[in-house]
Amino acid sequence: MATPPPARPLSPSADSATGPASAAAPTSTPAAATDYTQWTPTALIARIKSLESAAALPRAPRAPPRRPTPSTTTTSPHRTLPIALKFAYLGQPYNGYEHHFAPTPLPTVESVLFAALLKARLVPAAPGTNPERDGADAWPGDEVAGYSKCGRTDKGVSAFGQVVGLRLRASPAGAPLDYCGTLNRLLPDSVRVLAWTQLPEKTQGDGFSARFDCESRTYRYHFSATSLAPALGLREGTLDIAAMRAAAAMFEGSHDFRNFCKLDASKQITNFVRQILCSRIVHAADDGAGGDMYYFELTGTAFLWHQVRHMVAVLFLVGQRLERPGVVAEMLDVEGERFARKPVYEMADARPLVLWECKFPREVLGERGWIRAGREGLVGGVWEGLYTARVDGVLARGLAGLAGVWDEPGEEGAEVVKKRKGAKGGGKGHALVLGSGRVVMRGVYAPLEKRERMRAVEEINSAWVERKGDWRERRALKRAREEAEGES
């Protein structure tokens, strides 16, 4: 057997090893892979031991994700323009809208948008970052990019009229670039930039805000009148649309919606009054699967966290004939004794919800208004998704027909399905409609008026401050420290 070439000590930063074993390892050059075929057994064993020793060395802890701090020191060397973008996205592939600068089970809409803006060099990357390597984590900060968003959708919620404002790179002459075309080439097909506009110069000094300059937002929640399989024989699976329409109309006007939202104690919200401009149930079309499709359309100036899905959940209870339409007016009366505190109930599913439109005054967007994106790069991927969905729909309806979902209930019928194990006195449970199409079985129905109540808003806010501290005080202290450091 050939004798291996002379050995050299291994570097501690690479395949490091200590002791005599490392002296038997042959020299390898960075230019070519090591040929182990000519090594002696002794040399191979020494090499294995050196690799095992290197693997056992403690590694430096991984640095936490970088969260950029807005700073005016990061500026673009190019001319920029104040631009508003209108775009749409399907919510299912994403973990919500907002980028968190931390790992999430799914990407977020904002993370793919940030990555596309950075890759196209429309926004400058934060110092010390590389957009190709860091992706959305190279975002320079909202203040530097002049970035603001109109709405923040949760996981699974889609948007067909989301709007953001930001400063984007312009040509050397200061003319706008092809923002829609560039971004649509870089974004996944589930996110499409629909239109853009150059904001009037007068809005620059005012600081355009896609959130606060928006005069109204419209949501649509899609559902079928036949919400559960007819073969199950569940009466509450077929919704009473007339009752839902009567209940929906009661939402219009200015009301306190604390009983129709999820409280975020970290924000210390005390004002739950919101103005609803339009609240109605609209017939869409026959869904081709044995039931008509409708949508709940809601337009308001602003919304609370999970407000729409809570409102839909109560409308479903009315449609299932489990509650009267008048329960909406009673829950809006937070000064009364019946619903001074929020009753415990489940909110509707996220998937059917769409942020449909964000409306801005003409003087904010300018006389030109929205400029639609060109069809090139916009239609292809969207059509493929639609075609696939249509084929999947045909296949799903075929399978449903074979399974007999539209058949008349058999002898077992609803009695078997509605049996609720463990119900007191052997009572029957009820099927709850939450907008997903799933049969969600619950125990004997308890009216909202008789349910357990959440703690009062003031109590929840106070408990959070005692546990976490007031964020307003922390922000003031942080600013004071930053100002003191800047003066020193």
Side-chain angles (χ1 to χ4, degrees):
M1 183 177 291
T3 302
R8 64 174 176 83
L10 295 174
S11 169
S13 62
D15 301 327
S16 61
T18 58
S22 61
T27 304
S28 61
T29 60
T34 304
D35 182 10
Y36 292 104
T37 60
Q38 303 299 318
W39 285 37
T40 64
T42 303
L44 287 172
I45 291 173
R47 178 62 170 170
I48 292 172
K49 289 182 177 180
S50 69
L51 293 174
E52 289 177 344
S53 299
L57 290 175
R59 296 185 179 183
R62 185 177 180 181
R66 186 194 61 82
R67 180 181 292 274
T69 302
S71 170
T72 55
T73 58
T74 304
T75 58
S76 173
H78 308 282
R79 300 186 65 174
T80 60
L81 293 172
I83 300 294
L85 299 175
K86 178 190 287 188
F87 61 103
Y89 53 85
L90 301 176
Q92 283 303 298
Y94 300 101
N95 206 70
Y97 180 81
E98 195 166 61
H99 180 57
H100 300 288
F101 294 94
T104 53
L106 295 171
T108 66
V109 177
E110 204 170 48
S111 66
V112 298
L113 176 64
F114 284 175
L117 289 165
L118 290 163
K119 189 172 183 178
R121 302 298 190 267
L122 295 176
V123 171
T129 64
N130 183 341
E132 298 291 339
R133 179 194 65 214
D134 302 323
D137 288 341
W139 187 249
D142 295 353
E143 184 178 328
V144 172
Y147 176 78
S148 61
K149 51 181 173 282
C150 185
R152 184 178 62 181
T153 54
D154 295 308
K155 181 180 180 181
V157 178
S158 302
F160 290 171
Q162 176 71 278
V163 173
V164 296
L166 64 175
R167 296 197 67 88
L168 297 182
R169 177 181 175 179
S171 71
L177 304 175
D178 181 15
Y179 302 121
C180 296
T182 299
L183 291 173
N184 283 332
R185 284 190 291 272
L186 297 173
L187 289 166
D189 291 336
S190 53
V191 181
R192 296 288 87 184
V193 181
L194 306 175
W196 71 281
T197 189
Q198 181 177 341
L199 299 168
E201 293 297 328
K202 66 177 182 179
T203 64
Q204 294 186 57
D206 299 337
F208 171 79
S209 171
R211 177 185 177 187
F212 295 109
D213 287 335
C214 179
E215 64 180 8
S216 69
R217 298 163 176 83
T218 297
Y219 285 89
R220 287 185 179 180
Y221 192 98
H222 300 265
F223 64 94
S224 173
T226 305
S227 295
L228 301 176
L232 298 178
L234 298 171
R235 178 175 177 267
E236 62 265 39
T238 302
L239 302 177
D240 185 341
I241 300 300
M244 293 179 68
R245 281 177 168 152
M250 299 179 187
F251 285 124
E252 292 187 358
S254 183
H255 304 285
D256 188 311
F257 285 93
R258 70 182 62 200
N259 289 329
F260 293 93
C261 71
K262 184 174 181 179
L263 181 63
D264 184 359
S266 66
K267 291 184 169 54
Q268 295 291 289
I269 297 175
T270 57
N271 180 14
F272 295 85
V273 176
R274 298 294 185 271
Q275 185 178 14
I276 301 300
L277 306 174
C278 177
S279 175
R280 59 177 184 162
I281 304 290
V282 180
H283 178 247
D286 187 338
D287 64 359
D292 284 347
M293 290 298 295
Y294 293 82
Y295 59 84
F296 171 50
E297 185 174 75
L298 191 67
T299 302
T301 54
F303 292 90
L304 298 163
W305 190 24
H306 291 326
Q307 179 180 339
V308 181
R309 291 167 64 187
H310 277 80
M311 296 168 73
V312 171
V314 174
L315 290 179
F316 280 157
L317 293 177
V318 172
Q320 291 188 266
R321 306 167 189 83
L322 299 172
E323 296 284 349
R324 300 170 292 103
V327 75
V328 169
E330 295 170 358
M331 291 179 68
L332 290 172
D333 182 15
V334 297
E335 299 297 331
E337 296 182 358
R338 287 187 171 183
F339 293 99
R341 291 184 295 157
K342 177 188 173 184
V344 176
Y345 63 95
E346 299 174 64
M347 65 179 178
D349 193 69
R351 181 167 187 157
L353 181 58
V354 181
L355 173 58
W356 190 258
E357 182 183 19
C358 299
K359 189 176 181 181
F360 292 81
R362 180 178 292 271
E363 59 268 20
V364 172
L365 294 182
E367 294 298 325
R368 297 179 67 187
W370 292 109
I371 303 171
R372 283 188 56 83
R375 292 185 178 180
E376 183 180 358
L378 183 63
V379 175
V382 174
W383 170 255
E384 291 174 13
L386 174 61
Y387 188 89
T388 301
R390 292 169 67 184
V391 172
D392 289 345
V394 171
L395 298 177
R397 286 192 292 273
L399 179 60
L402 294 172
V405 298
W406 295 290
D407 294 349
E408 292 294 326
E411 293 183 0
E412 299 177 355
E415 295 303 318
V416 174
V417 178
K418 294 177 71 174
K419 286 286 186 182
R420 179 70 174 178
K421 293 183 179 180
K424 292 182 179 180
K428 298 175 183 178
H430 68 283
L432 191 62
V433 171
L434 294 175
S436 65
R438 294 190 301 271
V439 179
V440 181
M441 296 302 298
R442 294 293 181 263
V444 177
Y445 184 76
L448 292 172
E449 184 180 358
K450 298 181 179 180
R451 294 192 185 185
E452 179 186 354
R453 302 305 167 99
M454 304 285 289
R455 290 183 298 169
V457 170
E458 297 77 12
E459 184 181 347
I460 295 175
N461 282 340
S462 177
W464 191 93
V465 170
E466 290 179 3
R467 186 172 68 256
K468 298 287 188 178
D470 194 335
W471 64 270
R472 298 179 183 88
E473 294 180 0
R474 294 200 305 270
R475 185 174 64 179
L477 290 172
K478 181 180 178 181
R479 288 180 176 175
R481 284 196 299 267
E482 291 176 350
E483 292 175 0
E485 292 173 358
E487 293 174 357
S488 59

